Amino acid sequence: MLKDNLKTLRKNKGFSQEELSIKLNVVRQTISKWESGLSVPDAEMLISLSEVFEIPVSTILGENIEEKEKNDIKVLSEKLEVINEQLSIIHIKKRKRILHFLIILDACILLLFLLLVVLGSPYQSWDYRDPEWSIIGTVWHGFEWLFFKVAPILVIIITSALGIFFIKQPK
């Protein structure tokens, strides 16, 4: 384990055997012997190694570091998978909210249209000699004209375009 940990730590730090030997004031062959398991560093050298690698001595002597890093990658991969799933759910909910809003908007426009048809045009019974009622009647007439002539066409075009957008867009 020690030999594997030393090699893994050296590579993780980006050191060559030569660079590590310079930092520890030993010859390159010493590093090579440690990594091949032919010899082991003494207690002072273990302390120096822990300072160079910025980890405790127990980690150098402990469990295999490579396995630990593989497990870390696996855990990270699983967390990213969960995050992607959550983002997908949020995106689907957002699309559903927009679709529900458009359905409610269409229902409100339809109800307003039916209300205007049932009630008739109240501006026809107003007294246009009164300037205030004259202005209100003209504005109301303009609103009804826009609503009966333009709004149904716009609603059909807009809802059709949005429906096509929501159907064609990948989920």
Side-chain angles (χ1 to χ4, degrees), residues 71-87:
N71 289 337
D72 288 346
I73 291 172
K74 185 178 178 183
V75 168
L76 183 61
S77 168
E78 290 171 356
K79 286 180 181 179
L80 286 174
E81 188 176 330
V82 169
I83 290 171
N84 283 336
E85 184 68 29
Q86 290 172 344
L87 288 174

Side-chain angles (χ1 to χ4, degrees), residues 1-12 35 55-73:
M1 279 200 251
L2 175 65
K3 64 179 185 170
D4 296 331
N5 286 349
L6 287 174
K7 189 173 186 177
T8 302
L9 288 168
R10 179 181 58 80
K11 287 185 177 183
N12 286 347
E35 289 181 359
I55 60 171
V57 174
S58 60
T59 304
I60 296 172
L61 296 173
E63 66 183 61
N64 193 337
I65 294 174
E66 244 177 355
E67 290 176 11
K68 192 175 181 182
E69 289 177 1
K70 286 181 184 176
N71 289 337
D72 288 346
I73 291 172

Side-chain angles (χ1 to χ4, degrees), residues 19-35:
E19 291 170 330
L20 183 57
S21 66
I22 291 170
K23 289 186 179 291
L24 297 172
N25 295 320
V26 296
V27 293
R28 187 198 58 79
Q29 288 79 6
T30 304
I31 304 295
S32 178
K33 286 180 182 179
W34 291 343
E35 289 181 359

